[in-house]
C-alpha cells in the first residue's frame, strides 16, 4: 500500500449527521389565508368548513391562530385581544349580535372542525383560557357574546372546553374585584339555563371545582350569602339562589352536628351544650324540627353499644336519654316538636334491631323525664301517620297508652 493512500474500513457505511432545519413560523400568512376563505364564502360557515377541509393550511402549527380568527375575525397581537395588522373578516363571534341564534352556528361549526381535526382541541382550550383571563380588554358587549358562546358550547358539549378551562381562569383578583367576572358568569348562567336544568349546571360547576365556591365570583366587599341571593334573584335565576341557600343550610347543619357530637362524646356540661346549640340555631336560622332530629341522632350515635346483649343495650339507651333529657326538653317546646321526636324514636327503633324491643321503655322514659307529654303520646297512639313499625309498636304500647287514658279520664 502506498504511503499516500489513506486506510479505509471495507464494507462500512459512514453516516453523516443532518441538521434539523425548521420552517420559519408565519402565523400572519396563515391568518390571512383563513380570513380570505371566510371572505370568499361570504361567512357561510358550511362552505367555509369545506374550504378549510380541502386546503393545505398547516393547522397543526397554527391552531391558536385559527381560533383567534374564528373568535375575533383576525390574528390578535401577542398578549392582547387587539387585532394585529392584516386581513380581517366580519363574521366572527365578536362581530355578531349578542344573540344565541346568531352565535350558535359558530359553536356547531367549531364542533365540526374539531371532529375532523381533533388535535385542535388543545388550541381551542388555549385561546379560550387566554381570552377569559383578558376579559377586561374586551368591551362589555363583547364579553356578553363570549359568555353566550361559552354557555352554548357547554349545552352542545363542545370538545375542548372542560369546565376548569372556563371557571378557573376567571378567578383573577383584578377581574373579580372589578365585577367583570360576576357579570360574565351571570350571563353564562342565564344563557345555559335556557336549554338545561339546574342539575346540569351544578354538574359542570362540580367538574370545574366551583360548586362550593360560587361566592369567589363576587368582589370581596360583596362576598356574602345575602349579596348572592340579591344578585341572582334580580338576575332572574331563583333556582340557583334556592340551591345556594340549601347548600349553606347543609353546611350549618353539619357544623352544628359536629360540635354537638364532640360535646356529647366529651360529656360536656349540659348547660354549656344547650347554649352552644342555641347559638348554632340562631346563627344558621335552623328550623326547630331539624334541631330536634339532630339532637336525637347525635345522642344515640354517641352510645357505645355492647353488641348482642339486649338488656345492656336497653340500659345504655335509657341512660343516654336520662343524661340528656334536659337538652331534649329545652328544644321540644311544642306538641308538634314532641311528636317529631316521637316519630324519630319510632323510625330508629324500627331500623335498628337492637332497639326494636325497647321502644315502649324509651317512650316511657321520655314521659317520666317530662320530654313527652301524655297528649303527644296518645295522639301518636291513636292517629300517628308514620308507618314504619307502627303496627307492632302500637301493640307494644297498648298497656302504657291504656294507663295514660285511664289517668286522663280520672282527671
Amino acid at each position: 500500500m502506498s504511503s499516500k493512500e489513506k486506510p479505509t474500513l471495507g464494507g462500512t457505511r459512514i453516516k453523516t449527521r443532518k441538521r434539523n432545519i425548521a420552517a420559519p413560523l408565519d402565523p400572519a400568512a396563515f391568518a390571512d389565508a383563513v380570513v380570505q376563505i371566510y371572505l370568499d364564502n361570504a361567512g357561510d360557515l358550511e362552505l367555509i368548513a369545506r374550504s378549510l377541509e380541502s386546503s393545505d393550511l398547516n393547522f397543526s402549527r397554527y391552531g391558536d391562530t385559527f381560533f383567534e380568527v374564528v373568535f375575533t375575525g383576525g390574528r390578535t397581537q401577542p398578549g392582547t385581544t387587539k387585532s394585529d395588522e392584516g386581513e380581517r373578516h366580519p363574521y366572527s363571534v365578536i362581530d355578531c349580535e349578542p344573540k344565541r341564534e346568531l352565535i350558535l352556528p359558530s359553536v356547531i361549526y367549531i364542533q365540526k372542525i374539531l371532529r375532523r381535526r381533533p388535535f385542535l382541541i388543545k388550541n381551542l382550550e388555549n385561546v379560550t383560557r387566554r381570552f377569559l383571563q383578558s376579559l377586561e380588554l374586551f368591551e362589555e358587549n363583547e364579553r356578553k357574546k363570549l359568555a353566550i358562546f361559552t354557555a352554548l358550547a357547554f349545552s352542545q358539549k363542545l370538545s375542548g372546553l372542560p369546565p376548569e378551562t372556563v371557571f378557573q381562569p376567571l378567578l383573577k383578583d383584578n377581574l373579580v374585584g372589578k365585577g367583570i367576572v360576576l357579570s360574565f358568569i351571570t350571563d353564562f348562567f342565564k344563557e345555559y339555563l335556557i336549554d338545561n336544568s339546574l342539575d346540569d349546571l351544578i354538574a359542570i360547576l362540580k367538574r370545574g371545582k366551583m360548586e362550593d365556591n360560587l361566592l369567589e365570583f363576587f368582589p370581596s366587599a360583596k362576598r356574602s350569602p345575602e349579596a348572592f341571593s340579591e344578585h341572582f334573584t334580580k338576575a332572574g335565576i331563583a333556582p340557583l339562589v334556592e340551591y345556594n341557600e340549601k347548600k349553606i343550610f347543609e353546611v350549618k347543619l353539619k357544623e352544628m352536628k359536629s360540635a354537638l357530637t364532640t360535646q356529647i362524646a366529651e360529656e360536656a356540661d349540659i348547660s354549656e351544650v344547650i347554649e352552644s346549640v342555641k347559638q348554632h340555631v340562631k346563627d344558621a336560622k335552623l328550623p326547630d324540627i331539624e334541631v330536634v332530629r339532630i339532637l336525637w341522632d347525635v345522642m344515640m350515635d354517641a352510645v357505645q353499644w355492647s353488641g348482642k346483649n339486649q338488656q345492656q343495650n336497653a340500659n345504655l339507651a335509657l341512660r343516654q336519654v336520662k343524661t340528656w333529657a334536659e337538652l331534649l326538653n329545652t328544644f321540644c317546646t311544642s306538641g308538634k316538636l314532641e311528636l317529631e321526636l316521637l316519630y324519630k324514636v319510632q323510625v330508629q327503633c324500627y331500623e335498628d334491631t337492637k332497639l326494636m324491643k325497647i321502644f315502649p321503655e324509651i317512650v316511657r322514659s321520655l314521659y317520666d323525664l317530662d320530654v313527652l307529654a301524655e297528649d303527644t303520646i296518645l295522639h301518636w297512639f291513636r292517629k300517628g301517620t308514620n308507618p314504619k313499625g307502627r303496627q307492632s309498636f302500637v301493640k307494644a304500647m297498648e298497656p302504657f297508652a291504656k294507663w295514660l287514658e285511664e289517668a286522663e279520664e280520672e282527671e
Side-chain angles (χ1 to χ4, degrees):
M1 181 174 64
S2 170
S3 60
K4 294 182 179 180
E5 293 180 343
K6 294 182 179 180
T8 60
L9 296 175
T12 301
R13 297 175 63 186
I14 300 176
K15 296 182 180 179
T16 59
R17 190 185 187 98
K18 294 182 179 179
R19 289 187 303 140
N20 292 322
I21 303 174
L25 292 173
D26 191 6
F30 175 88
D32 288 343
V34 175
V35 168
Q36 192 59 51
I37 291 175
Y38 270 83
L39 295 174
D40 290 344
N41 293 282
D44 187 317
L45 295 178
E46 186 65 36
L47 295 177
I48 292 169
R50 292 177 188 173
S51 297
L52 291 173
E53 178 67 20
S54 61
S55 72
D56 58 357
L57 293 172
N58 194 345
F59 286 90
S60 60
R61 171 162 286 183
Y62 304 118
D64 283 13
T65 302
F66 170 70
F67 285 111
E68 290 175 5
V69 175
V70 172
F71 280 106
T72 68
R75 180 171 174 246
T76 59
Q77 296 177 13
T80 74
T81 60
K82 295 181 179 179
S83 299
D84 198 358
E85 294 182 0
E87 292 290 331
R88 284 181 52 77
H89 70 83
Y91 310 109
S92 69
V93 174
I94 292 301
D95 285 317
C96 73
E97 290 294 315
K99 298 178 180 178
R100 64 195 329 263
E101 62 271 19
L102 299 178
I103 295 176
L104 180 58
S106 291
V107 177
I108 297 172
Y109 158 73
I110 291 175
Q111 188 73 285
K112 291 178 180 178
I113 297 294
L114 293 179
R115 288 197 188 106
R116 294 164 182 161
R117 293 183 170 87
F119 58 85
L120 288 176
I121 288 175
K122 190 63 179 177
N123 301 108
L124 174 60
E125 184 177 345
N126 292 340
V127 173
T128 302
R129 181 181 292 274
R130 176 152 54 87
F131 283 175
L132 293 179
Q133 288 177 327
S134 307
L135 278 179
E136 62 185 324
L137 302 178
F138 290 97
E139 300 293 333
E140 182 180 353
N141 202 37
E142 293 173 338
R143 292 196 291 267
K144 184 177 181 67
K145 296 170 191 175
L146 288 175
I148 294 174
F149 173 89
T150 308
L152 290 172
F154 280 118
S155 292
Q156 298 293 319
K157 297 179 173 55
L158 179 65
S159 303
L161 280 184
E164 58 270 22
T165 296
V166 172
F167 300 132
Q168 298 305 318
L170 294 173
L171 300 179
K172 291 179 66 177
D173 291 342
N174 63 316
L175 295 178
V176 174
K178 294 176 181 178
I180 292 174
V181 171
L182 182 57
S183 177
F184 176 90
I185 209 69
T186 301
D187 288 333
F188 170 85
F189 287 162
K190 289 171 68 174
E191 187 65 37
Y192 184 80
L193 288 171
I194 292 175
D195 292 329
N196 302 276
S197 68
L198 181 65
D199 288 341
D200 294 328
L201 177 60
I202 299 308
I204 63 173
L205 288 171
K206 282 183 179 178
R207 284 162 48 208
K209 300 178 182 178
M210 290 303 301
E211 178 205 10
D212 298 323
N213 305 303
L214 294 178
L215 284 178
E216 291 186 23
F217 293 131
F218 284 72
S220 56
K222 299 180 179 180
R223 203 166 287 174
S224 69
E226 294 75 19
F228 184 99
S229 297
E230 181 182 353
H231 174 80
F232 285 112
T233 298
K234 188 175 179 180
I237 316 179
L240 185 63
V241 174
E242 295 171 5
Y243 168 81
N244 194 58
E245 290 176 347
K246 182 180 178 182
K247 287 286 293 184
I248 293 172
F249 174 76
E250 289 172 352
V251 169
K252 296 292 186 183
L253 213 60
K254 188 176 180 180
E255 289 174 354
M256 174 184 156
K257 192 171 183 178
S258 176
L260 183 59
T261 297
T262 300
Q263 289 178 311
I264 289 181
E266 295 175 352
E267 298 182 350
D269 183 79
I270 186 72
S271 59
E272 178 186 336
V273 177
I274 290 172
E275 287 306 311
S276 175
V277 173
K278 284 182 177 179
Q279 191 60 49
H280 278 287
V281 171
K282 180 181 178 182
D283 292 345
K285 300 178 182 177
L286 299 175
D288 294 336
I289 286 180
E290 203 63 48
V291 174
V292 169
R293 291 169 180 165
I294 290 177
L295 293 180
W296 181 260
D297 282 341
V298 173
M299 280 173 48
M300 290 296 108
D301 288 345
V303 177
Q304 301 295 318
W305 303 107
S306 62
K308 296 183 180 180
N309 191 310
Q310 189 67 33
Q311 188 56 50
Q312 286 185 4
N313 286 332
N315 293 339
L316 288 169
L318 295 175
R319 187 178 74 177
Q320 190 76 335
V321 169
K322 184 176 181 180
T323 301
W324 300 103
E326 186 180 346
L327 176 63
L328 292 171
N329 205 10
T330 301
F331 295 95
C332 287
T333 54
S334 67
K336 181 180 179 181
L337 294 175
E338 290 178 20
L339 186 61
E340 183 61 35
L341 175 61
L342 189 45
Y343 283 141
K344 191 69 181 171
V345 175
Q346 174 189 341
V347 171
Q348 183 173 20
C349 288
Y350 172 75
E351 294 178 348
D352 193 335
T353 54
K354 63 178 172 287
L355 300 178
M356 184 170 287
K357 293 183 179 180
I358 62 171
F359 173 76
E361 296 178 67
I362 293 177
V363 175
R364 179 63 183 258
S365 179
L366 290 169
Y367 170 78
D368 291 340
L369 294 164
D370 295 326
V371 178
L372 296 179
E374 62 181 65
D375 288 346
T376 302
I377 298 171
L378 289 174
H379 177 85
W380 172 89
F381 182 77
R382 296 164 180 164
K383 302 179 181 179
T385 56
N386 194 307
K388 291 192 174 182
R390 176 167 174 76
Q391 187 173 357
S392 58
F393 288 148
V394 165
K395 187 174 182 180
M397 285 285 291
E398 279 181 357
F400 182 50
K402 186 176 181 181
W403 180 81
L404 289 176
E405 289 171 338
E406 290 172 353
E408 187 178 47
E409 289 173 2
E410 290 177 5
E411 292 177 2

